[in-house]
Amino acid sequence: MANTVKASSMPGTLKAAQFIITLEVAFGLVGVAITLGGFFSTFNWGVLPALIYAAGSTALLGWLLSRWSSRRMYLRWAIIAVHLLVIGASILDLALFSTVTWKAVFGYHMLTWAVIVLLLLPSAGRWFSESHA
């Protein structure tokens, strides 16, 4: 008879983080579709960097989300890093146009900050460190 090891179940905080990332990817795909439609309707080349950023960040988050079940420690930190990069790019954009406000930094990125906080909790560290063999 084979020895089986029962894996610990995912904590509720990580289920919430996974759901939020799923929402981010879904809304990102909608945003890419709208931006793509806007680009092809006007051929405004100024929209192209926004399209590349939106498609790239959505694809990267989708790929990381697909790797979620691997429970690798680097995945947790990669998801946090991508979310910090999204916030950093937004702050850079706001700073270039002198429109940085607390609401823009924290209010508009509430879900992004929530994912970062949820993944920094000790329960997330324990769950991701118990990777499958």
Side-chain angles (χ1 to χ4, degrees), residues 78-129:
I79 293 171
I80 291 171
V82 168
H83 280 83
L84 288 173
L85 284 173
V86 166
I87 292 171
S90 176
I91 291 172
L92 179 64
D93 180 48
L94 292 170
L96 289 175
F97 295 104
S98 300
T99 56
V100 178
T101 62
W102 289 105
K103 183 178 180 182
V105 174
F106 292 105
Y108 298 149
H109 296 287
M110 197 174 348
L111 293 178
T112 308
W113 286 112
V115 169
I116 291 169
V117 168
L118 290 172
L119 289 178
L120 288 175
L121 292 175
S123 60
R126 283 190 299 271
W127 190 80
F128 275 105
S129 66

Side-chain angles (χ1 to χ4, degrees), residues 10-29:
M10 188 184 331
T13 55
L14 284 180
K15 288 179 184 179
Q18 186 179 30
F19 178 73
I20 292 170
I21 296 170
T22 303
L23 280 179
E24 289 173 338
V25 170
F27 287 139
L29 289 173

